[in-house]
Amino acid sequence: MYEIKDSVLAVTAGTQALCLQDIRTRACVQLTAVRPVLSLRETGGQLEYEMAGGIHVRVWLDTDHALLMQVSAPEDMPHALPHPFVCRPEAGQRLLLTIDEGICLRTEAPDTFLCVPRPCCGRECTMPFTAILLPQHYLMTVLDTEWDAQLQLRRSADGLLYDTVEWLPSLGQWLYARRLRYYFAPGRTTAVCKQFRQYRTRQGLLTTLREKQAQDPDVDRLVGAANVWLWHDDYEQLMYANAQKDVDIDNTKEIARIAAQMQAAGMTRIIWGIFFGADAKCVP
């Protein structure tokens, strides 16, 4: 067994699992290895795992009290590689996913349309992180290298949902090391979102609405705007059913009619979410 720690987080490492402990509250969470570990050593405050299949995992603590994992693999690996560690689910936990506008699922949730691979960069996952909401803490996973990765929801042997990251080949090869970080701290959904904001701020990627307004005066038109999402009458059938009804998916005339009513009522600032492929030109 090996241990690395800072003022907030203590990490105990074995060949089967990593245990993260919040030093302030004594709460713990475990990450389980999903592939055979051939060797484990500690060097200079870093843990080095050698795993089956030529997989190498380096683990260390960052200055922001995150546990970092960097995964290396043989260059000729042509297929997706599930991240070598997962947090096994327990009943009563919730998964916080950045799919579309954000979804929170109970681990006991029944079969869901979300159990398909989703790219971690783009509309499918709008921000490259997931989180498990525990009774008083959260375990947040943030992808430092989100480009060749996908999110996959799976079920444990006892039927509970959990999420895992799958690293994808780059141009058919493993061309660079992949890295993610874990944050384990007290709090719930708001704390998770604040943690990601701080993460992006440290990267220099946060631009506030006021800063955008200085760059583009038209941003002022967003202030006080209504955020409108106009759903299709057959929304649930179109989104979730295996067989779709023969319907007008674009629904262009109805969208134009409702937009005209809003403008006639004096609504001049609208953020308009058009769904199911309708042409934005139909909005007057």
Side-chain angles (χ1 to χ4, degrees), residues 219-253:
V219 171
D220 180 64
R221 299 172 65 188
L222 297 174
V223 178
N227 188 6
V228 176
W229 286 81
L230 183 60
W231 301 103
H232 200 289
D233 284 345
D234 292 289
Y235 159 73
E236 301 234 350
Q237 179 77 12
L238 291 169
M239 284 291 288
Y240 305 128
N242 292 326
Q244 295 185 359
K245 296 166 61 178
D246 184 16
V247 297
D248 174 16
I249 294 178
D250 286 348
N251 203 23
T252 304
K253 291 183 180 179

Short mmCIF file of all heavy atoms in Angstrom, two decimals, residues 219-253:
data_model
loop_
_atom_site.label_atom_id
_atom_site.label_comp_id
_atom_site.label_asym_id
_atom_site.label_seq_id
_atom_site.Cartn_x
_atom_site.Cartn_y
_atom_site.Cartn_z
N VAL A 219 -24.24 41.89 -27.67
CA VAL A 219 -24.49 40.99 -26.54
C VAL A 219 -25.49 41.61 -25.58
O VAL A 219 -26.22 40.91 -24.87
CB VAL A 219 -23.16 40.66 -25.83
CG1 VAL A 219 -23.41 39.89 -24.53
CG2 VAL A 219 -22.26 39.84 -26.74
N ASP A 220 -25.59 42.93 -25.57
CA ASP A 220 -26.55 43.63 -24.70
C ASP A 220 -27.98 43.18 -24.98
O ASP A 220 -28.84 43.25 -24.09
CB ASP A 220 -26.42 45.14 -24.89
CG ASP A 220 -27.39 45.91 -24.00
OD1 ASP A 220 -27.23 45.82 -22.77
OD2 ASP A 220 -28.29 46.58 -24.54
N ARG A 221 -28.21 42.68 -26.19
CA ARG A 221 -29.57 42.24 -26.54
C ARG A 221 -29.98 40.99 -25.79
O ARG A 221 -31.16 40.63 -25.73
CB ARG A 221 -29.65 42.00 -28.05
CG ARG A 221 -29.38 43.25 -28.87
CD ARG A 221 -29.29 42.95 -30.35
NE ARG A 221 -30.56 42.47 -30.86
CZ ARG A 221 -30.73 41.97 -32.09
NH1 ARG A 221 -29.68 41.88 -32.91
NH2 ARG A 221 -31.91 41.56 -32.49
N LEU A 222 -29.01 40.29 -25.19
CA LEU A 222 -29.33 39.11 -24.39
C LEU A 222 -29.90 39.47 -23.02
O LEU A 222 -30.60 38.66 -22.41
CB LEU A 222 -28.08 38.25 -24.19
CG LEU A 222 -27.45 37.65 -25.45
CD1 LEU A 222 -26.15 36.95 -25.09
CD2 LEU A 222 -28.40 36.67 -26.12
N VAL A 223 -29.61 40.69 -22.55
CA VAL A 223 -30.06 41.10 -21.22
C VAL A 223 -31.58 41.25 -21.23
O VAL A 223 -32.15 41.99 -22.02
CB VAL A 223 -29.39 42.43 -20.81
CG1 VAL A 223 -29.92 42.87 -19.44
CG2 VAL A 223 -27.88 42.28 -20.78
N GLY A 224 -32.24 40.51 -20.35
CA GLY A 224 -33.69 40.57 -20.27
C GLY A 224 -34.41 39.75 -21.32
O GLY A 224 -35.64 39.79 -21.41
N ALA A 225 -33.67 38.99 -22.12
CA ALA A 225 -34.30 38.20 -23.17
C ALA A 225 -35.00 36.98 -22.60
O ALA A 225 -34.53 36.37 -21.63
CB ALA A 225 -33.26 37.78 -24.21
N ALA A 226 -36.13 36.61 -23.20
CA ALA A 226 -36.82 35.38 -22.84
C ALA A 226 -36.11 34.20 -23.52
O ALA A 226 -35.73 34.28 -24.68
CB ALA A 226 -38.27 35.44 -23.30
N ASN A 227 -35.91 33.12 -22.78
CA ASN A 227 -35.28 31.92 -23.32
C ASN A 227 -36.39 30.95 -23.69
O ASN A 227 -37.01 30.33 -22.83
CB ASN A 227 -34.33 31.32 -22.29
CG ASN A 227 -33.51 30.17 -22.86
OD1 ASN A 227 -33.58 29.90 -24.05
ND2 ASN A 227 -32.76 29.50 -22.02
N VAL A 228 -36.66 30.82 -24.98
CA VAL A 228 -37.83 30.08 -25.46
C VAL A 228 -37.37 28.77 -26.12
O VAL A 228 -36.53 28.78 -27.03
CB VAL A 228 -38.64 30.91 -26.48
CG1 VAL A 228 -39.79 30.09 -27.04
CG2 VAL A 228 -39.15 32.18 -25.82
N TRP A 229 -37.93 27.67 -25.65
CA TRP A 229 -37.77 26.38 -26.31
C TRP A 229 -39.14 25.91 -26.75
O TRP A 229 -40.02 25.68 -25.93
CB TRP A 229 -37.15 25.36 -25.34
CG TRP A 229 -35.70 25.61 -25.11
CD1 TRP A 229 -35.14 26.52 -24.27
CD2 TRP A 229 -34.61 24.95 -25.77
NE1 TRP A 229 -33.78 26.47 -24.34
CE2 TRP A 229 -33.42 25.51 -25.25
CE3 TRP A 229 -34.53 23.94 -26.72
CZ2 TRP A 229 -32.16 25.09 -25.67
CZ3 TRP A 229 -33.28 23.51 -27.14
CH2 TRP A 229 -32.12 24.09 -26.62
N LEU A 230 -39.32 25.80 -28.04
CA LEU A 230 -40.62 25.40 -28.58
C LEU A 230 -40.52 23.93 -28.99
O LEU A 230 -39.87 23.58 -29.97
CB LEU A 230 -40.98 26.26 -29.80
CG LEU A 230 -42.34 25.96 -30.42
CD1 LEU A 230 -43.45 26.20 -29.40
CD2 LEU A 230 -42.57 26.82 -31.65
N TRP A 231 -41.19 23.08 -28.20
CA TRP A 231 -41.11 21.64 -28.44
C TRP A 231 -42.21 21.18 -29.39
O TRP A 231 -43.30 21.75 -29.42
CB TRP A 231 -41.25 20.88 -27.12
CG TRP A 231 -40.21 21.24 -26.12
CD1 TRP A 231 -40.35 22.04 -25.05
CD2 TRP A 231 -38.84 20.84 -26.14
NE1 TRP A 231 -39.17 22.17 -24.37
CE2 TRP A 231 -38.23 21.44 -25.02
CE3 TRP A 231 -38.07 20.04 -26.98
CZ2 TRP A 231 -36.87 21.26 -24.71
CZ3 TRP A 231 -36.73 19.86 -26.68
CH2 TRP A 231 -36.15 20.46 -25.56
N HIS A 232 -41.92 20.17 -30.12
CA HIS A 232 -42.89 19.56 -31.03
C HIS A 232 -43.97 18.85 -30.22
O HIS A 232 -43.71 18.31 -29.14
CB HIS A 232 -42.15 18.55 -31.91
CG HIS A 232 -42.87 18.20 -33.17
ND1 HIS A 232 -44.01 17.43 -33.17
CD2 HIS A 232 -42.62 18.51 -34.46
CE1 HIS A 232 -44.42 17.28 -34.42
NE2 HIS A 232 -43.60 17.91 -35.21
N ASP A 233 -45.21 18.82 -30.73
CA ASP A 233 -46.29 18.12 -30.04
C ASP A 233 -45.96 16.64 -29.85
O ASP A 233 -46.39 16.02 -28.87
CB ASP A 233 -47.60 18.25 -30.82
CG ASP A 233 -48.22 19.63 -30.66
OD1 ASP A 233 -47.79 20.36 -29.75
OD2 ASP A 233 -49.11 19.97 -31.45
N ASP A 234 -45.21 16.06 -30.79
CA ASP A 234 -44.83 14.65 -30.72
C ASP A 234 -43.40 14.49 -30.21
O ASP A 234 -42.69 13.57 -30.59
CB ASP A 234 -44.97 14.00 -32.09
CG ASP A 234 -46.42 13.91 -32.51
OD1 ASP A 234 -47.15 13.09 -31.92
OD2 ASP A 234 -46.83 14.66 -33.41
N TYR A 235 -42.99 15.41 -29.34
CA TYR A 235 -41.61 15.46 -28.86
C TYR A 235 -41.16 14.12 -28.27
O TYR A 235 -40.12 13.58 -28.64
CB TYR A 235 -41.49 16.57 -27.81
CG TYR A 235 -40.32 16.44 -26.87
CD1 TYR A 235 -39.03 16.70 -27.33
CD2 TYR A 235 -40.49 16.05 -25.56
CE1 TYR A 235 -37.93 16.59 -26.47
CE2 TYR A 235 -39.41 15.92 -24.71
CZ TYR A 235 -38.14 16.20 -25.17
OH TYR A 235 -37.07 16.07 -24.34
N GLU A 236 -41.95 13.56 -27.34
CA GLU A 236 -41.52 12.34 -26.68
C GLU A 236 -41.42 11.18 -27.66
O GLU A 236 -40.51 10.35 -27.59
CB GLU A 236 -42.47 11.99 -25.53
CG GLU A 236 -42.59 13.07 -24.48
CD GLU A 236 -42.30 12.53 -23.08
OE1 GLU A 236 -42.21 11.31 -22.94
OE2 GLU A 236 -42.17 13.34 -22.16
N GLN A 237 -42.35 11.12 -28.61
CA GLN A 237 -42.30 10.07 -29.61
C GLN A 237 -41.06 10.20 -30.49
O GLN A 237 -40.37 9.22 -30.78
CB GLN A 237 -43.57 10.14 -30.48
CG GLN A 237 -43.63 9.10 -31.60
CD GLN A 237 -44.02 7.72 -31.09
OE1 GLN A 237 -44.45 7.59 -29.94
NE2 GLN A 237 -43.84 6.71 -31.92
N LEU A 238 -40.75 11.43 -30.89
CA LEU A 238 -39.61 11.65 -31.77
C LEU A 238 -38.28 11.43 -31.06
O LEU A 238 -37.31 10.96 -31.65
CB LEU A 238 -39.65 13.08 -32.33
CG LEU A 238 -40.78 13.37 -33.32
CD1 LEU A 238 -40.88 14.86 -33.58
CD2 LEU A 238 -40.55 12.63 -34.61
N MET A 239 -38.21 11.76 -29.78
CA MET A 239 -36.95 11.69 -29.05
C MET A 239 -36.65 10.28 -28.53
O MET A 239 -35.50 9.84 -28.58
CB MET A 239 -36.97 12.66 -27.87
CG MET A 239 -36.79 14.11 -28.27
SD MET A 239 -35.12 14.46 -28.85
CE MET A 239 -34.19 14.37 -27.34
N TYR A 240 -37.65 9.59 -28.03
CA TYR A 240 -37.38 8.40 -27.24
C TYR A 240 -37.88 7.09 -27.83
O TYR A 240 -37.41 6.03 -27.44
CB TYR A 240 -37.98 8.56 -25.84
CG TYR A 240 -37.52 9.80 -25.12
CD1 TYR A 240 -38.42 10.70 -24.57
CD2 TYR A 240 -36.17 10.08 -25.01
CE1 TYR A 240 -37.99 11.84 -23.92
CE2 TYR A 240 -35.72 11.22 -24.36
CZ TYR A 240 -36.64 12.09 -23.82
OH TYR A 240 -36.20 13.22 -23.18
N ALA A 241 -38.85 7.15 -28.74
CA ALA A 241 -39.41 5.90 -29.25
C ALA A 241 -38.52 5.31 -30.33
O ALA A 241 -37.86 6.03 -31.09
CB ALA A 241 -40.81 6.15 -29.81
N ASN A 242 -38.51 3.99 -30.41
CA ASN A 242 -37.75 3.33 -31.47
C ASN A 242 -38.40 3.55 -32.83
O ASN A 242 -37.72 3.71 -33.84
CB ASN A 242 -37.65 1.83 -31.18
CG ASN A 242 -36.78 1.54 -29.97
OD1 ASN A 242 -35.82 2.25 -29.72
ND2 ASN A 242 -37.13 0.51 -29.21
N ALA A 243 -39.73 3.54 -32.86
CA ALA A 243 -40.46 3.78 -34.10
C ALA A 243 -41.07 5.18 -34.04
O ALA A 243 -41.68 5.55 -33.05
CB ALA A 243 -41.55 2.73 -34.29
N GLN A 244 -40.89 5.97 -35.11
CA GLN A 244 -41.41 7.34 -35.14
C GLN A 244 -42.67 7.40 -36.00
O GLN A 244 -42.78 6.75 -37.03
CB GLN A 244 -40.35 8.29 -35.68
CG GLN A 244 -39.13 8.40 -34.79
CD GLN A 244 -38.15 9.44 -35.30
OE1 GLN A 244 -38.38 10.05 -36.34
NE2 GLN A 244 -37.06 9.62 -34.58
N LYS A 245 -43.58 8.25 -35.56
CA LYS A 245 -44.80 8.46 -36.32
C LYS A 245 -44.51 9.31 -37.55
O LYS A 245 -43.51 10.00 -37.63
CB LYS A 245 -45.83 9.16 -35.43
CG LYS A 245 -46.27 8.33 -34.24
CD LYS A 245 -47.00 9.16 -33.22
CE LYS A 245 -48.27 9.77 -33.80
NZ LYS A 245 -49.01 10.53 -32.77
N ASP A 246 -45.39 9.23 -38.51
CA ASP A 246 -45.25 10.04 -39.73
C ASP A 246 -45.76 11.44 -39.42
O ASP A 246 -46.94 11.74 -39.57
CB ASP A 246 -46.05 9.40 -40.86
CG ASP A 246 -45.85 10.15 -42.17
OD1 ASP A 246 -44.89 10.95 -42.26
OD2 ASP A 246 -46.66 9.95 -43.10
N VAL A 247 -44.84 12.31 -38.94
CA VAL A 247 -45.22 13.66 -38.54
C VAL A 247 -44.34 14.67 -39.25
O VAL A 247 -43.27 14.35 -39.77
CB VAL A 247 -45.09 13.85 -37.01
CG1 VAL A 247 -46.02 12.92 -36.27
CG2 VAL A 247 -43.66 13.62 -36.57
N ASP A 248 -44.79 15.92 -39.26
CA ASP A 248 -43.99 17.03 -39.80
C ASP A 248 -42.96 17.41 -38.73
O ASP A 248 -43.26 18.15 -37.80
CB ASP A 248 -44.91 18.21 -40.13
CG ASP A 248 -44.13 19.45 -40.56
OD1 ASP A 248 -42.94 19.31 -40.89
OD2 ASP A 248 -44.71 20.54 -40.55
N ILE A 249 -41.76 16.93 -38.90
CA ILE A 249 -40.75 17.13 -37.87
C ILE A 249 -40.41 18.61 -37.71
O ILE A 249 -40.28 19.12 -36.60
CB ILE A 249 -39.49 16.30 -38.19
CG1 ILE A 249 -39.80 14.81 -38.11
CG2 ILE A 249 -38.35 16.65 -37.23
CD1 ILE A 249 -38.64 13.91 -38.45
N ASP A 250 -40.25 19.33 -38.81
CA ASP A 250 -39.83 20.73 -38.72
C ASP A 250 -40.91 21.62 -38.11
O ASP A 250 -40.62 22.57 -37.39
CB ASP A 250 -39.46 21.26 -40.10
CG ASP A 250 -38.12 20.72 -40.58
OD1 ASP A 250 -37.40 20.13 -39.75
OD2 ASP A 250 -37.80 20.87 -41.77
N ASN A 251 -42.19 21.37 -38.44
CA ASN A 251 -43.29 22.12 -37.83
C ASN A 251 -43.13 23.63 -38.06
O ASN A 251 -43.41 24.45 -37.19
CB ASN A 251 -43.36 21.82 -36.33
CG ASN A 251 -44.73 22.10 -35.74
OD1 ASN A 251 -45.73 22.09 -36.45
ND2 ASN A 251 -44.76 22.35 -34.45
N THR A 252 -42.67 24.00 -39.25
CA THR A 252 -42.27 25.38 -39.54
C THR A 252 -43.41 26.39 -39.38
O THR A 252 -43.23 27.45 -38.78
CB THR A 252 -41.70 25.47 -40.97
OG1 THR A 252 -40.63 24.54 -41.09
CG2 THR A 252 -41.21 26.87 -41.26
N LYS A 253 -44.60 26.07 -39.91
CA LYS A 253 -45.70 27.03 -39.86
C LYS A 253 -46.11 27.35 -38.42
O LYS A 253 -46.39 28.50 -38.08
CB LYS A 253 -46.89 26.48 -40.64
CG LYS A 253 -46.65 26.42 -42.15
CD LYS A 253 -47.91 25.93 -42.87
CE LYS A 253 -47.67 25.88 -44.38
NZ LYS A 253 -48.87 25.38 -45.11
#
